[in-house]
Amino acid sequence: PEGVPKPSVGLVQDRDDPPYWTKYRRYLEVNHIPYRLYDIHRSDWRRGAADLDVVLWRPMSVPSELEECRRKVGLLENVLGVTCYPSLTEALVYEDKLLQYELLDELGFPVVPTFVSYSQSEALAFARSCTYPAVWKIACGASSLGVELVRDWRAAERRIRRAFSLAGRRTIWPYEAQKDYVYLQRFQPNAGYDLRVIVIGDTTLGYHRAVPPGDFRASGMGTTYHRAIPQGAMLLARRVRDALGVTALGLDMLADPEERRF
């Protein structure tokens, strides 16, 4: 409304293809919110934020930019007093499978049983007692990148020893190895699809992804189709969003045909 002060927004031009920042720009312009393009990657990024109330930045799903985002958003929020989207809490959870599992499990949400350890001796012992096949994941990787099926304890042990070696284990990221941690997840039979459920404000939406023949993954396989999202899945997604206290949430779910739950 007229007479209500509006925040000054710094809009970061993300590097994705297609970009997200153009959608944010359209929203700001339609709602007559003052903004300017803000280059957060420059050396003088702190001085550049001096006149801003809000920084709007959609970081790329890659370790290098996520690391930069978490470091700078923490300083913007906690020292410079600038509101950020994503917030530091959101940026920490985003694309970090280890933290996501630990957090959701601690909050009591239904998660696939997962072993996360930073101890080589514990990981090697677990590999001998684990049920196979099991799913091996790295901390950061979207669209099923960095997700592998481990068929026996020997294969698991080889991966563990490489991860705890001096150089670590090679990943999809040429500049970042998997170093000194293990993420092994129980192979979960499913109903032939998974769900992506999205919660933004009071709106809940989503889509299905089919598992291609001969594969165990659905995310990133290009098998999206639209069908009504079950009410139970939408309610669960809203509970997770509320518990995490985030602005928006994209949640992946499996339908468990035995326990009849997501």
Side-chain angles (χ1 to χ4, degrees):
E2 291 297 330
V4 175
K6 295 182 179 179
S8 174
V9 177
L11 178 58
V12 178
Q13 294 176 284
D14 64 84
R15 299 161 171 169
D16 217 338
D17 183 22
Y20 281 69
W21 73 271
T22 53
K23 300 175 178 64
Y24 297 141
R25 178 183 61 184
R26 182 171 66 240
Y27 173 85
L28 293 168
E29 290 178 347
V30 166
N31 289 280
H32 307 291
I33 297 175
Y35 78 95
R36 63 176 172 83
L37 299 181
Y38 171 46
D39 191 349
I40 201 168
H41 306 295
R42 288 174 51 92
S43 62
D44 60 352
W45 67 274
R46 286 174 291 143
R47 186 163 60 252
D51 63 333
L52 297 176
D53 301 306
V54 176
V55 167
L56 184 57
W57 177 13
R58 190 273 183 176
M60 290 276 287
S61 304
V62 299
S64 56
E65 186 153 324
L66 289 171
E67 180 181 350
E68 179 191 9
C69 176
R70 291 160 183 160
R71 184 182 304 119
K72 291 182 176 179
V73 166
L75 191 55
L76 282 166
E77 286 188 336
N78 297 323
V79 179
L80 302 180
V82 178
T83 299
C84 297
Y85 181 73
S87 66
L88 178 57
T89 298
E90 291 165 331
L92 287 171
V93 177
Y94 180 56
E95 296 293 13
D96 186 333
K97 291 183 175 67
L98 283 75
L99 180 57
Q100 288 169 5
Y101 168 74
E102 301 272 19
L103 186 56
L104 292 175
D105 186 55
E106 183 65 26
L107 293 172
F109 288 106
V111 288
V112 179
T114 302
F115 173 80
V116 175
S117 179
Y118 294 81
S119 164
Q120 181 178 14
S121 59
E122 183 191 23
L124 289 170
F126 178 81
R128 292 291 184 119
S129 62
C130 180
T131 300
Y132 294 94
V135 180
W136 178 283
K137 296 182 181 181
I138 58 174
C140 177
S143 301
S144 293
L145 296 174
V147 178
E148 307 168 60
L149 199 62
V150 182
R151 300 194 178 277
D152 55 46
W153 68 266
R154 294 178 182 84
E157 186 172 301
R158 286 195 298 271
R159 286 170 169 80
I160 292 167
R161 292 193 183 281
R162 287 173 190 155
F164 283 93
S165 66
L166 181 62
R169 184 172 184 262
R170 292 178 63 183
T171 69
I172 57 171
W173 311 110
Y175 54 86
E176 180 159 307
Q178 178 180 0
K179 186 74 174 77
D180 294 342
Y181 73 86
V182 168
Y183 181 114
L184 265 174
Q185 194 171 70
R186 187 180 77 189
F187 179 75
Q188 181 72 27
N190 60 75
Y193 69 92
D194 77 1
L195 297 173
R196 165 58 63 90
V197 185
I198 302 163
V199 185
I200 307 172
D202 294 329
T203 301
T204 307
L205 62 152
Y207 49 87
H208 291 64
R209 296 179 296 205
V211 179
D215 209 321
F216 68 101
R217 300 164 297 183
S219 175
M221 299 293 110
T223 56
T224 299
Y225 62 97
H226 293 275
R227 186 177 296 171
I229 301 297
Q231 184 182 32
M234 292 193 291
L235 292 174
L236 175 59
R238 294 176 75 87
R239 285 175 48 218
V240 174
R241 190 277 307 271
D242 293 344
L244 297 182
V246 297
T247 306
L249 177 73
L251 195 66
D252 293 340
M253 296 188 194
L254 287 176
D256 188 330
E258 293 184 357
E259 299 188 19
R260 297 184 179 180
R261 65 169 184 164
F262 294 100

